[in-house]
Amino acid sequence: MMAKNPIKYAYLLKDIYLGKEVACPECGKPGLEHRFYASGKDHIGFAQFHCYYCNTDAHLCRVKFPDSVVTEEL
């Protein structure tokens, strides 16, 4: 199931960047899975989220990741 409001996931990015474990905005369970993909050149890419408890997915496009954030290469 896709997230009803992906903006809720954008608000979690700062905590994730700080290494904090975040809860799913849909069901509130801890341990929301995330993966970041970006080009090495400009560090712009996308973020994917998945909650194993409520089976919800979210996708954020055109995310500008800080240089300190580890991303997978596009």
Side-chain angles (χ1 to χ4, degrees), residues 3-4 6-7 14-16 18 20-21 25 27 33 35-36 41 45 48-49 51 54-55 61 64 71-74:
K4 295 178 179 94
I7 299 299
K14 185 176 181 180
D15 285 339
I16 293 171
L18 295 173
K20 296 179 182 177
E21 184 175 305
C27 70
E33 295 290 323
R35 294 186 82 160
F36 300 144
K41 184 177 137 189
Q48 287 186 273
F49 300 90
C51 177
C54 65
N55 202 31
C61 299
K64 172 73 171 137
T71 61
E72 295 182 47
E73 186 69 30
L74 285 176

Side-chain angles (χ1 to χ4, degrees), residues 41-71:
K41 184 177 137 189
D42 57 11
H43 228 55
I44 294 175
F46 62 94
Q48 287 186 273
F49 300 90
H50 179 74
C51 177
Y52 289 102
Y53 294 101
C54 65
N55 202 31
T56 299
D57 294 303
H59 182 88
L60 302 176
C61 299
R62 301 290 300 161
V63 176
K64 172 73 171 137
F65 295 102
D67 291 336
S68 61
V69 173
V70 177
T71 61

